[in-house]
């Protein structure tokens, strides 16, 4: 934009101080606080206009400005206006600036507009475009993700109607859109939708911009939001980063808000009369409408979402890794004295040196991995057998001695103080396991029962458990809870008194 001219009263003062006071140009510049070059330029213009001092009374400010700054003669060569639609698209490429585009414009049209006028005309053009198009989104930079407010009713045959959620993802530069119906907004559905969005686009963006959804952001914060560990794990797998929108700042994700509005208008509204019996059926219809939306021409810009995606976003986005992300959850259990960790009631071994420490556990579909201070210390094939053990020999201490001085002999010695049946049961529990340490948990549980019940009752309950073959902590606890330790054991035959003689008893002779 052109530099504003000095006020006419300052120009009059320049003429007065020059002709009347006889000051130099530098002294006048210091007095009026303007540049010396500006003083020289105005005196030169006044000399060329034939103006002296004093000025005539009829020379007001408008006439003085016209005398000093006469309008330029109209250009005889019409200037070709820039293609601002092309300028707007090119600005989304990385490293492209208005100055570079202006230089390219002048190379094609040497008599075109100068840079200041070029920028001014572009801003006027951009002001007439929709708000969503005015944001400065770089190619391949951001993918905005959110759930729509509207849901999709699913009518399963013979079942109850339930509502499916609509996941929407929109690229910043091209507005290329992905949408799908999901069963819920839970973590598994949330991450699965991201994976399918990346596969739909065939690449991954540099940044993900989600809302402060609980599945994505564990704790929202203006400066350092706490991300869900599984969500962060997925982003790391695809080489992207997560930049959550600030809480209560919808402008941070305006692209997602508009993308959701467009999805509701052109996808959900157009399918409002359809009756879906399954999630797969709904997604088939959504995918057809999505293809139509991405190939629909813009109202105020040239091209379509698909065309801009192929030109801008796809070349700038990251290629997908060789393997698909496997959904996993994270836990932080404490290592028990038997150097095993509890994951959904199955017990996995870790190095015995970690007894008493907490480890980060990644629970995938096929594997369970344990990490300590960022280093993987154990990996197991996942097992869904409740109460089972997965133990690796490398994790056990020498001679099978548990950390903190726990050993089978110590447990059996403690049990012997309660009674011989308790000692026999503890020994049988550890003998039933591939490794004695795997029976420590049950033995420790029986130890705790002695604090809740008298020792004679615990001894009787252990004796009954041995007779009926119930070698577990839960069996002993159930016997004590129901008071079954006093009931006759199955091996004890109840005393049978001879039948009493009664006149109504017919006897075997009656049937002869």
């Amino acid at each position: 934009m052109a530099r504003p001219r000095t006020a006419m009263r300052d120009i009059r003062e320049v003429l007065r101080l020059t002709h009347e006071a006889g000051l130099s140009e530098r002294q006048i510049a210091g007095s009026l606080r303007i540049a010396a070059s500006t003083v020289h330029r105005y005196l030169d213009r006044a000399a060329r206009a034939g103006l002296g001092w004093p000025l005539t009374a009829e020379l007001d400010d408008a006439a003085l400005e016209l005398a000093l700054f006469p309008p330029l003669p109209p250009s005889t060569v019409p200037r070709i206006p820039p293609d601002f639609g092309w300028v707007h698209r090119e600005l989304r490429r990385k490293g492209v600036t208005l100055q570079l585009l202006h230089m390219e414009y002048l190379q094609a049209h040497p008599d075109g507009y100068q840079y200041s006028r070029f920028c001014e005309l572009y801003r006027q053009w951009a002001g007439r475009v929709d708000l969503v198009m005015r944001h400065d989104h770089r190619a391949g930079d951001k993918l905005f993700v959110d759930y729509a407010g509207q849901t999709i009713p699913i009518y399963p045959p013979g079942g109850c109607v339930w509502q499916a959620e609509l996941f929407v993802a929109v690229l910043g530069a091209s507005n290329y859109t992905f949408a799908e119906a999901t069963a819920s907004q839970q973590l598994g559905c949330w991450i699965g939708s991201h994976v399918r969005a990346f596969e739909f686009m065939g690449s991954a963006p540099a940044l993900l911009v989600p809302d402060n959804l609980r599945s994505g952001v564990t704790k929202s914060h203006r400066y350092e939001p706490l991300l869900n560990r599984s969500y962060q794990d997925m982003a790391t797998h695809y080489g992207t980063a997560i930049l959550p929108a600030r809480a209560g700042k919808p402008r941070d994700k305006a692209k997602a808000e508009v993308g959701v509005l467009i999805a509701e208008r052109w996808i959900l509204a157009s399918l409002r009369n359809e009756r879906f019996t399954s999630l797969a059926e709904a997604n088939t219809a959504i995918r057809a409408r999505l293809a139509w939306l991405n190939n629909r021409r813009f109202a105020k810009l040239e091209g379509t979402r698909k065309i801009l995606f192929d030109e801008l976003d796809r070349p700038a986005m990251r290629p997908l890794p060789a393997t698909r992300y496997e959904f996993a959850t994270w836990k932080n259990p404490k290592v028990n004295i038997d150097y095993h960790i509890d994951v959904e009631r199955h017990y996995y071994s870790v190095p015995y040196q970690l007894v008493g420490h907490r480890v980060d556990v990644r629970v995938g579909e096929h594997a369970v991995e344990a990490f300590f201070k960022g280093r993987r210390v154990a990996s197991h094939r996942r097992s869904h057998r409740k109460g089972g053990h997965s133990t690796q020999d490398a994790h056990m201490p020498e001679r099978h001695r548990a950390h903190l001085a726990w050993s089978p002999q110590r447990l059996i010695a403690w049990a012997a103080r309660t009674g011989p049946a308790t000692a026999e049961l503890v020994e049988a529990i550890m003998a039933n396991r591939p490794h004695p340490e795997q029976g420590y948990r049950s033995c420790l549980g029986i130890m705790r029962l002695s604090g809740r019940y008298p020792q004679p009752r615990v001894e009787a309950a252990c004796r009954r458990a041995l007779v009926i073959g119930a070698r577990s902590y839960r069996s002993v606890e159930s016997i004590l809870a129901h008071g079954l330790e006093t009931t006759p054991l199955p091996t004890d035959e109840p005393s049978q008194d001879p039948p009493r003689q009664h006149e109504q008893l017919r006897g075997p002779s009656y049937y002869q």
Side-chain angles (χ1 to χ4, degrees), residues 144-188:
F144 298 84
V145 291
D146 202 357
Y147 281 103
Q150 298 182 23
T151 55
I152 307 169
I154 306 295
Y155 302 88
C160 297
V161 180
W162 59 279
Q163 301 293 324
E165 305 288 343
L166 184 68
F167 174 86
V168 180
V170 183
L171 282 168
S174 63
N175 293 297
Y176 195 59
T177 303
F178 169 80
E180 72 167 8
T182 63
S184 68
Q185 296 186 14
Q186 296 301 317
L187 181 62

Side-chain angles (χ1 to χ4, degrees), residues 290-505:
L290 192 60
W292 173 86
L293 175 64
N294 284 324
N295 287 283
R296 179 174 177 264
R297 301 195 70 82
F298 290 118
K300 298 184 179 181
L301 288 176
E302 293 294 329
T304 65
R305 289 172 172 82
K306 182 67 167 61
I307 292 174
L308 288 184
F309 171 72
D310 291 335
E311 291 181 356
L312 300 176
D313 280 321
R314 187 191 293 275
M317 293 174 72
R318 291 166 168 76
L320 297 182
T323 58
R324 193 186 199 199
Y325 172 74
E326 179 184 326
F327 174 69
T329 57
W330 288 84
K331 299 180 180 296
N332 187 239
K334 188 175 182 179
V335 182
N336 205 279
I337 64 168
D338 60 356
Y339 53 87
H340 283 68
I341 51 177
D342 181 358
V343 178
E344 298 177 359
R345 292 188 59 192
H346 188 89
Y347 305 102
Y348 300 90
S349 67
V350 298
Y352 72 93
Q353 295 90 344
L354 299 179
V355 168
H357 294 279
R358 289 194 175 273
V359 293
D360 293 323
V361 181
R362 185 178 186 271
V363 185
E365 183 179 356
H366 304 292
V368 173
E369 300 171 283
F371 298 83
F372 183 69
K373 295 183 178 180
R375 182 173 61 90
R376 190 171 75 169
V377 294
S379 178
H380 296 269
R381 183 182 295 275
R382 186 174 181 183
S383 174
H384 297 278
R385 184 164 63 91
K386 304 296 184 184
H389 288 76
S390 297
T391 306
Q392 295 180 8
D393 293 342
H395 296 159
M396 296 187 294
E398 294 182 2
R399 302 177 185 176
H400 293 267
R401 294 182 181 274
H403 208 263
L404 301 179
W406 286 100
S407 66
Q409 292 73 22
R410 179 179 177 182
L411 292 175
I412 295 172
W414 165 82
R417 292 198 297 269
T418 303
T422 306
E424 185 179 352
L425 178 62
V426 166
E427 189 173 2
I429 288 174
M430 289 187 288
N432 261 359
R433 305 296 198 274
H435 302 287
E437 289 80 0
Q438 294 176 348
Y440 282 3
R441 291 177 185 266
S442 296
C443 297
L444 289 175
I446 296 173
M447 181 188 294
R448 294 189 183 96
L449 289 177
S450 65
R452 293 163 51 189
Y453 300 97
Q455 286 191 356
R457 288 191 63 187
V458 176
E459 172 70 9
C462 291
R463 183 184 305 110
R464 183 176 182 83
L466 284 169
V467 171
I468 64 177
R471 292 172 172 81
S472 68
Y473 159 77
R474 290 183 178 274
S475 299
V476 178
E477 183 188 38
S478 178
I479 292 171
L480 291 169
H482 295 87
L484 301 178
E485 74 277 2
T486 59
T487 59
L489 295 172
T491 55
D492 297 336
E493 295 292 336
S495 60
Q496 296 183 356
D497 296 332
R500 297 174 57 189
Q501 299 295 324
H502 195 277
E503 61 181 3
Q504 294 182 354
L505 297 176

